[in-house]
Amino acid sequence: MNGLTGNGLYAARHFQNAYTTRDVDAAARMFAERHGVKTFHYLRDVPFGPGATIHIGLAWAGDVMIELIQPNGGDNLYTNWLPADGQLLRFHHMGHLIDDAAEWQKVSTLGRQSGLPIAIDGVNYGVHYLYLDARAELGHFLEYVHLEGDAVHFFDAVPRY
């Protein structure tokens, strides 16, 4: 355990605020103009289920990463949580970064036993992830991420401000 924030579902370090958007480029421009987050690292056309892709923009604002997610097609936890017409962003999830495998196992078990619905979970290319649907309690999802192997460098290309 990292010991920074307790021993429950907030045990992992909060590192990310994520937003859904209908236009990742417009959202990034708003962050640059209003909030001083000038450059994002983009992952475009990432497959996300049958007939769906997502565009992702990532940037560090101090110790917190901003994630912008534009879903394209499909019926999933991103397309079902898009902002209302006329609104640029909608808060989607708090991301928690889990440093080691033992902590991942503990938090993953706590999440599965929490009674919160599991929205998605899995592992791709060394990136372990678990999304809990906490919208009824908190108004958003909770994401847990653990990186292993070459994936520990996944965030190296993300610009910092």
Side-chain angles (χ1 to χ4, degrees):
M1 299 299 298
N2 66 16
L4 297 177
T5 53
N7 294 310
L9 290 174
Y10 279 85
R13 180 173 63 90
H14 168 231
F15 84 109
Q16 183 185 75
N17 291 335
Y19 303 86
T20 55
T21 183
R22 296 176 191 278
D23 186 338
V24 71
D25 297 307
R29 281 192 303 275
M30 183 276 298
F31 266 96
E33 293 166 5
R34 184 174 309 278
H35 301 293
V37 181
K38 301 288 185 192
T39 307
F40 281 77
H41 173 71
Y42 293 97
L43 303 165
R44 299 203 186 256
D45 297 316
V46 177
F48 196 77
T53 62
I54 55 176
H55 299 322
I56 300 170
L58 300 170
W60 289 101
D63 290 333
V64 176
M65 179 184 286
I66 305 299
E67 180 179 25
L68 307 174
I69 305 161
Q70 177 187 329
N72 303 297
D75 182 27
N76 56 60
L77 78 159
Y78 299 129
T79 56
N80 293 328
W81 201 250
L82 281 166
D85 287 337
Q87 183 180 355
L88 184 58
L89 296 170
R90 185 173 189 189
F91 187 76
H92 187 268
H93 68 263
M94 283 179 67
H96 297 84
L97 187 61
I98 300 173
D99 298 325
D100 62 59
E103 185 178 1
W104 169 255
Q105 287 304 318
K106 183 171 183 176
V107 172
S108 180
T109 299
L110 286 171
R112 292 173 201 293
Q113 294 173 346
S114 71
L116 295 171
I118 296 172
I120 57 171
D121 74 312
V123 60
N124 285 318
Y125 304 105
V127 179
H128 297 260
Y129 54 89
L130 171 67
Y131 277 75
L132 299 178
D133 187 346
R135 291 177 294 174
E137 295 176 349
L138 302 174
H140 57 80
F141 293 88
L142 296 170
E143 178 193 31
Y144 301 89
V145 176
H146 172 61
L147 308 174
E148 68 179 12
D150 290 340
V152 299
H153 301 289
F154 184 70
F155 298 130
D156 288 356
V158 177
R160 288 189 174 268
Y161 296 94

